[in-house]
Amino acid sequence: MAPSVKPFGVTMSNLFKHFFAVCIFLCGLWGHIVMPCALAGSSKHVRVLIMQELPSLTLKVSGAYQIHDARSHEVVCRGRDIKGTVTQGKGKILLGAKSYDTDRIILRASDNNVIINGKHFRGDALIIRKEDNTLSVVNYIGLEDYVKGVLYHEVSHYWPQEALKAQAVASRTFALYQMQENAAKDFDVTCDFYSQMYGGRAAERYRTSFAVEFTKGEALSYGGKIFPAYFHATCAGHTEDASLLWNTTVPSLRGVVCGFCKDSPHFKWHYVVSLKELERVLKKAGYAFTHITAITEQGRDISGRVTYVRIAAGQERSADIAAKDLRSLIGPKLLRSTNFTVSLSGDDAVFRGFGWGHGVGLCQWGAYFMAKEGYTYQEILSFYYPGSELALAKED
Ligand SMILES: [Zn+2]
């Protein structure tokens, strides 16, 4: 049975209420975003950590460019065409034959295209010389361009438009929340699994960019405040209550029954790991087991996910480990979710599970099948983030 879906209110009688809600949301949203070093003339830029711990990197710009000292904000170089290597040494950043007496420079290309280690990025590149004598690169990029560089890696660009639009709003909202939370840090998000996958300009596709443009500036809030609009591949029946995993109590992230993702390719999985390998992994986290004799689930939460597992070596030695920690230790791509059963078979542990991801927020494959059934992206978002409001936060 399909769960009921309450669309966002769009009736004429609610028009003024929504207008004021949007105004309040916009003031609250943008009023809290303070970037420590506003680049490209706008505060609405996401700072994405795209590379780190590099001894050197290659850089290419075609056409006019400027290099700024990110500490003094002065333009330290203007020129045309760069093709060279960036290294560091003795308190300086070295770019080809030039040397900059600072620990961070910003490169801005007039054609909005910087090629770093062969990858194309829009926006500016902040190159940081770290204390351990390695280089990091942070891409400063407009919010909408950032979301365009995310979608292709998070969902297929062949998916129905309404699912792509829902993902665009979720990704934009997630980024806005991180911008708010990480204002005092060097970057807002990473470019990987730990934030959202981001591939720069090379990840842009016509259908995903269309979904981003269609929903331009739209973001979710609860009670006028933006929240981290988490998402995951497949919930397998019930999304997770975020408060069980992280320090958040936003009602829109409490979890819902999802009847839409049962045909997801990630609905079921199994993973076999040798006990020797498991012992090695556990040892790294401080659990010294030499001969595991039993692994048992110790309770499940309301969504069906395992809360703890008990690992025993003989009668005397055992430890209870949070299932989310075990997943993180083994590897979230191997132990795909915490909704599993586990048993021992000879010298192996056999996990049989359901779904992929932490399970909080939007279920991507659920959104795919909802879109296939004719639901709009507003309905999809309203379903997976109950009680949330969709508002427009226009970019310049
Ligand atoms: Zn689902």
Side-chain angles (χ1 to χ4, degrees), residues 68-71 93 102-106 126-128 186:
H68 301 236
D69 182 331
R71 294 289 184 193
I93 294 177
T102 178
D103 67 340
R104 46 188 68 199
I105 57 172
I106 297 160
L126 168 67
I127 299 169
I128 303 174
D186 280 337

Side-chain angles (χ1 to χ4, degrees), residues 232-255:
H232 58 279
T234 298
C235 78
H238 200 308
T239 64
E240 180 66 300
D241 181 342
S243 69
L244 299 176
L245 297 182
W246 307 300
N247 185 26
T248 176
T249 55
V250 182
S252 297
L253 297 174
R254 275 193 194 141

Side-chain angles (χ1 to χ4, degrees), residues 76 113 171 183 193 208 214 217 219 230 249 259 265 287 322:
V76 291
N113 187 35
S171 289
F193 179 81
T208 45
F214 191 93
Y230 293 106
T249 55
Y287 299 100

Side-chain angles (χ1 to χ4, degrees), residues 235-236 258 261 363:
C235 78
C258 167
C261 62
C363 167

